[in-house]
Amino acid sequence: MLQFTQSLPVYGDSNFEDVLKTEIEKFDANLLPLQQGLSVGGYALYDSFNVMIINVSESSRHLQVKAGIFYRGVIAGCSCADDPSPTDVTTEYCEVLFMIDRGTGEATVALVRD
């Protein structure tokens, strides 16, 4: 479960997006839809990622945060002992939507498809 305990209290402050970005980057990457967001590689690498806040909007109950995530993926060969093709690491990008409950800070995340 994603929990926004640091950024929700500062919503409306000038540093909100910086706090939000930092908080998202501390989440376990396995909780984000990185594998589903691959565009080049076959496997997402969960070692690190960077976040760009695209848009924040609000309703009476939720904050909706659209964010871009930059991460790495792998184009893997057949993994045979004599496979001449190297394992290529690629830069990946996907957009996600966080729906943050304004009362509890609990959130869901979904991949944004164009």
Side-chain angles (χ1 to χ4, degrees):
M1 173 68 62
L2 299 173
Q3 187 78 26
F4 285 84
T5 58
Q6 297 171 357
S7 52
L8 189 58
V10 298
Y11 178 66
D13 293 353
S14 60
N15 66 335
F16 169 71
E17 287 193 11
D18 291 332
V19 174
L20 179 64
K21 177 184 175 308
T22 300
E23 187 166 29
I24 294 170
E25 288 175 344
K26 290 180 181 176
F27 287 151
D28 181 347
N30 290 300
L31 299 174
L32 303 174
L34 302 183
Q35 183 66 32
Q36 297 88 340
L38 290 169
S39 60
V40 179
Y43 300 98
L45 297 177
Y46 295 97
D47 55 349
S48 68
F49 62 93
N50 294 306
V51 174
M52 172 181 64
I53 304 301
I54 298 171
N55 185 18
V56 178
S57 60
E58 64 179 306
S59 68
S60 60
R61 187 155 179 212
H62 292 96
L63 290 181
Q64 298 95 19
V65 176
K66 186 176 182 181
I69 301 181
F70 298 91
Y71 61 107
R72 298 178 323 135
V74 173
I75 301 172
C78 75
S79 299
C80 300
D82 60 345
D83 183 5
S85 60
T87 301
D88 291 328
V89 175
T90 62
T91 300
E92 295 282 350
Y93 173 81
C94 68
E95 294 180 357
V96 297
L97 181 66
F98 293 96
M99 293 291 288
I100 306 168
D101 185 295
R102 294 179 73 167
T104 65
E106 292 180 0
T108 60
V109 61
L111 185 64
V112 175
R113 297 261 183 207
D114 290 329

